[in-house]
Amino acid sequence: LEQRLRGRATDSEEVITRRLAAARSEMARVSEFDYVIINKDLETASNELISVVQGSRLKVGVQRLRHPEAFSGIDD
């Protein structure tokens, strides 16, 4: 991340420092997340994000809200 940010030469040192600190904080708490997308390749990362969103829409609780008729008469 640092190499990419510095290589772009579009952000101030303050912005780079802030983004690196945020990234370090997120990485230190990685076990708290359900999903991790490594953004080395934009197309791959985009496809992974789409998969996460699609999967989250298929969770039982979400589907019960979206399609209550499909769950009528079914006990938890």
Side-chain angles (χ1 to χ4, degrees), residues 30-48:
V30 70
S31 64
E32 298 175 26
F33 297 100
D34 291 327
Y35 304 97
V36 176
I37 297 173
I38 307 299
N39 190 12
K40 287 179 114 176
D41 174 73
L42 181 60
E43 184 175 351
T44 300
S46 296
N47 289 335
E48 290 173 345

Side-chain angles (χ1 to χ4, degrees), residues 42-66:
L42 181 60
E43 184 175 351
T44 300
S46 296
N47 289 335
E48 290 173 345
L49 178 59
I50 289 167
S51 295
V52 168
V53 171
Q54 288 174 334
S56 70
R57 291 179 179 168
L58 298 175
K59 288 186 174 186
V60 172
V62 175
Q63 291 290 61
R64 281 184 187 275
L65 292 173
R66 291 174 65 200

